[in-house]
Amino acid sequence: MIVKGTYFQNDAERPLVYGDVEIRNIPRQRLRGEKEKDGILAESVFVGFCGTDHTLMNMGREGNLKEKFPTECDRLVNGHEGVVWVPSENRFAIVLIRGGNSYDPTRYTEEETYFEYGCDQADGLFSDRNYYHPDMLLKIPDGYVKDGKIPLTLAKKLVFSDPYACMIFQRERMEDLGEAHNFRVKMAEHRCTEAEAREIARKETFQRVCIFGLGTTGMFIGDLIRQKYPEAKIVFVARSEEDSPKVSFALKQAGASYVRSIFDKKEELADAIREKLGGTATVFIGSSGAAIEHEIAFQYGVLGCNGIYNSFSLGPEVTVDTMPFGFKNQLIFGSINFRQDHMEEAIRILQNSRYDEIVELIEKEEFTADPIDAYENRIYSKSAPMKTAVVWNETYIDMER
């Protein structure tokens, strides 16, 4: 099947292009131990741009995309966040991008290959049509579709299903790790049973939270921590002006306070964060992609003893002086995964959210005319909005709702 789409390739000058793409219906496996199934045809409707895609484009410039390509292909269709229409089932769906030869999509082991884009080495959403594993086309909420169209406001919210599911997983992992890491401390402190201590440790994991970076993932994890732990003290750290629409929206959504990273010295920034938190952080979440994250957390002492450092960005190399680090009993982890139930929960939460307010549209014709320029000067420039998406097929979008 030949369709129009944007795709990555290993080419220094043209790592992302729009044109004809050959799409193959390759049998796909959802999880290890399950049978492979032929893909089901779906049409792309509304698709959001993700920082991972920007990273893949740069990998293409460097010629490092080989392992990402589908079997017997030398390209990878762009995009993995959005809404599709499934003609054979007369319904809209969200594509669950995790899959492949994994026992559990939240745990990655040495004998497995990396899984993304529907299943291991499968294509993305920025094409007119594509094939997806039938069990990975997730249901969207009932009651919204009218006359075969999905409201634009709902499509904007659901474009966040993937990153929001990632953040649900991150909160779950921090709960698990915080409980395991600190319950014995709480047993001694409160002279209580192990079960009681585990509950205390889980809750107090989020006593004071520093979120370094204010993209969508930083905002989402703040939102999710606030939902479950209303007493948590949350501080966002970023470079944007405090009265900017992005910061104002994030602070209200997560019930957080803010430290603008404009200090001359890193010590001053660290002092300002601790002052806002009312002490050292019990959790430090790095989502900015800058090396200053771990410097502020460890070298300048924002992360407290027995605290958790969660590196969620794709950028920085984390370096730590192990002598003081060891005595502080701090825990470092990093992961970018989720299970299907995380995605389903994300879809349920997002339908009632206000996140459509932070999505701006780019015309399909503008994007496809020069996708590299669109990425670099509209979607990921300094002046870019919080989230950019494109209506890929207006036939299925109700632009008035």
Side-chain angles (χ1 to χ4, degrees):
M1 180 174 67
I2 303 297
V3 301
K4 291 289 187 182
T6 61
Y7 58 92
F8 301 113
Q9 60 181 359
N10 283 320
D11 189 309
E13 300 298 324
R14 301 175 71 239
L16 177 61
V17 297
Y18 176 71
D20 289 339
V21 185
E22 182 181 358
I23 301 295
R24 302 179 182 184
N25 191 357
I26 303 168
R28 295 167 166 89
Q29 183 184 50
R30 191 178 73 101
L31 293 175
R32 187 182 300 186
E34 296 183 353
K35 292 183 178 180
E36 289 186 341
K37 294 185 178 181
D38 289 336
I40 185 171
L41 189 68
E43 300 177 27
S44 298
V45 174
F46 188 84
V47 193
F49 299 88
C50 173
T52 300
D53 300 318
H54 195 220
T55 299
L56 290 172
M57 186 174 75
N58 290 328
M59 289 173 64
R61 278 197 174 106
E62 299 164 358
N64 295 325
L65 279 176
K66 183 178 180 181
E67 298 302 320
K68 289 286 186 183
F69 295 146
T71 304
E72 299 179 2
C73 294
D74 59 0
R75 88 293 174 285
L76 174 66
V77 175
N78 180 208
H80 63 275
E81 298 178 357
V83 180
V84 300
W85 171 254
V86 189
S88 62
E89 299 178 356
N90 198 38
R91 69 181 179 100
F92 292 97
I94 300 294
V95 178
L96 178 66
I97 70 167
R98 298 300 191 256
N101 58 344
S102 172
Y103 288 119
D104 175 355
T106 64
R107 302 293 184 268
Y108 180 60
T109 58
E110 283 79 2
E111 72 272 19
E112 294 167 4
T113 55
Y114 184 70
F115 38 92
E116 198 171 303
Y117 286 93
C119 279
D120 185 42
Q121 295 185 320
D123 279 320
L125 298 177
F126 277 103
S127 59
D128 296 334
R129 291 175 295 281
N130 214 325
Y131 293 102
Y132 304 96
H133 190 294
D135 298 336
M136 299 182 79
L137 292 170
L138 303 185
K139 177 182 173 61
I140 68 166
D142 292 326
Y144 287 94
V145 178
K146 182 179 179 181
D147 298 327
K149 294 190 175 185
I150 185 172
L152 176 63
T153 52
L154 180 62
K156 284 183 173 182
K157 295 172 184 178
L158 294 182
V159 80
F160 291 117
S161 300
D162 169 271
Y164 206 83
C166 276
M167 293 303 101
I168 294 174
F169 167 65
Q170 294 296 317
R171 186 186 65 185
E172 179 185 272
R173 285 283 278 154
M174 286 186 285
E175 288 172 337
D176 293 346
L177 293 169
E179 175 188 316
H181 189 50
N182 286 319
F183 80 90
R184 295 189 186 279
V185 175
K186 299 306 172 183
M187 283 180 69
E189 180 182 348
H190 296 278
R191 301 184 184 278
C192 59
T193 66
E194 179 177 326
E196 291 169 331
R198 286 184 176 276
E199 181 62 29
I200 294 170
R202 175 176 287 252
K203 181 178 180 180
E204 292 188 0
T205 296
F206 302 102
Q207 197 169 25
R208 294 181 299 277
V209 180
C210 175
I211 302 174
F212 206 100
L214 194 47
T216 53
T217 53
M219 181 193 304
F220 292 159
I221 193 61
D223 177 14
L224 284 161
I225 290 171
R226 174 67 63 207
Q227 288 181 35
K228 193 167 183 181
Y229 302 96
E231 301 303 316
K233 187 169 287 187
I234 302 171
V235 174
F236 286 116
V237 182
R239 298 187 63 85
S240 302
E241 294 183 9
E242 188 164 358
D243 60 355
S244 68
K246 176 175 76 171
V247 174
S248 299
F249 184 92
L251 295 182
K252 184 176 181 180
Q253 193 72 19
S257 56
Y258 186 66
V259 172
R260 190 179 180 197
S261 180
I262 55 172
F263 295 89
D264 293 331
K265 297 180 179 179
K266 294 173 183 177
E267 295 94 332
E268 295 173 338
L269 175 58
D271 288 342
I273 297 171
R274 281 191 295 266
E275 183 177 353
K276 283 283 188 180
L277 284 173
T280 55
T282 53
V283 167
F284 189 107
I285 301 169
S287 65
S288 74
I292 192 176
E293 292 175 356
H294 70 264
E295 293 175 3
I296 293 296
F298 299 113
Q299 185 177 343
Y300 295 97
V302 168
L303 183 63
C305 291
N306 302 304
I308 295 175
Y309 180 85
N310 180 354
S311 178
F312 186 73
S313 50
L314 297 175
E317 176 182 346
V318 178
T319 57
V320 179
D321 182 346
T322 58
M323 180 59 75
F325 168 75
F327 283 112
K328 291 182 179 179
N329 294 307
Q330 291 161 334
L331 179 66
I332 299 175
F333 85 101
S335 56
I336 305 177
N337 283 309
F338 55 78
R339 295 188 307 272
Q340 180 171 328
D341 62 305
H342 292 137
M343 179 73 101
E344 291 167 342
E345 183 180 353
I347 293 169
R348 290 194 298 270
I349 295 174
L350 287 169
Q351 67 175 311
N352 297 315
S353 75
R354 298 172 48 229
Y355 284 119
D356 56 305
E357 298 175 19
I358 59 171
V359 180
E360 295 188 14
L361 299 180
I362 184 171
E363 294 293 332
K364 180 182 177 181
E365 290 73 20
E366 179 183 355
F367 172 59
T368 56
D370 190 342
I372 295 176
D373 180 73
Y375 263 80
E376 295 183 337
N377 297 311
R378 283 289 309 277
I379 301 166
Y380 292 105
S381 66
K382 289 185 177 180
S383 60
M386 183 72 95
K387 185 73 170 182
T388 308
V390 60
V391 179
W392 197 261
N393 191 333
E394 292 191 24
T395 303
Y396 299 108
I397 294 283
D398 185 343
M399 302 297 288
E400 302 300 321
R401 290 196 292 154

